[in-house]
Amino acid sequence: MKYLLLLALLISCAGDKPGFVQVDDPKIKFVEEPMKNTALFVVLKNSGGKDVSLVKASSTISEAVELHEMIMDGGEMKMRPVDKMVVKAGSSLELKPGGLHIMFIGLKEPLQLDEKKTVQLFFDNGQEFTLEVPIQNVDKDMHHHHH
Ligand SMILES: [Cu+2]
């Protein structure tokens, strides 16, 4: 019982500080024709006291924009849509190759390296971002940033 009270107190305290998201290092993976799909990677930081979720991304560069995750299915990596991506209070979430990503399906025009494209991100705390995202060789970058 005491534990429950304490928990309730902790939750109400955390509630005093809303979630606050910052967006860092967004990039769109460069792909060449005939590929019609690509992905956006970005680091989402939540410096607030409440979890915040990315609930939607939009752009005019493709027919559809979806939030995706990678899963193992019968020894095979597959991706599938998710409703949201949760950025925990006080931590960050990295969208990266092989993991969570924002998927562009059906590119309307060929991509050009280093060109920037406008992408909007929407979070469930009401935050919205309009980003000018550079098109980069993401796979090459990954080798440099290996942890
Ligand atoms: Cu995907």
Side-chain angles (χ1 to χ4, degrees), residues 25-30 41 94 97 113-114 134-147:
D25 195 25
K27 52 197 164 220
I28 293 169
K29 182 184 174 178
F30 175 67
F41 305 106
E94 189 178 3
L113 261 181
D114 299 324
I135 295 162
Q136 294 177 357
N137 279 313
V138 167
D139 287 338
K140 241 184 251 172
D141 274 1
M142 279 303 287
H143 292 243
H144 292 300
H145 295 305
H146 233 298
H147 303 290

Side-chain angles (χ1 to χ4, degrees), residues 39 68-70 79-80 101-103:
H68 277 191
E69 67 177 356
M70 303 289 289
M79 50 190 191
R80 68 178 179 193
H101 57 277
I102 293 164
M103 193 85 200

Side-chain angles (χ1 to χ4, degrees), residues 62-128:
S62 60
E63 301 296 335
V65 185
E66 295 181 353
L67 308 180
H68 277 191
E69 67 177 356
M70 303 289 289
I71 51 152
M72 285 298 286
D73 182 14
E76 222 180 304
M77 288 289 274
K78 284 186 181 169
M79 50 190 191
R80 68 178 179 193
V82 291
D83 291 339
K84 59 181 183 175
M85 296 180 187
V86 182
V87 192
K88 296 273 185 202
S91 67
S92 55
L93 182 72
E94 189 178 3
L95 279 61
K96 59 186 176 190
L100 295 168
H101 57 277
I102 293 164
M103 193 85 200
F104 300 104
I105 299 165
L107 290 169
K108 293 175 186 170
E109 288 177 9
L111 298 180
Q112 306 290 334
L113 261 181
D114 299 324
E115 213 178 48
K116 290 185 176 178
K117 296 293 185 184
T118 305
V119 179
Q120 284 178 295
L121 303 183
F122 301 87
F123 292 85
D124 66 353
N125 66 344
Q127 281 188 272
E128 290 181 19

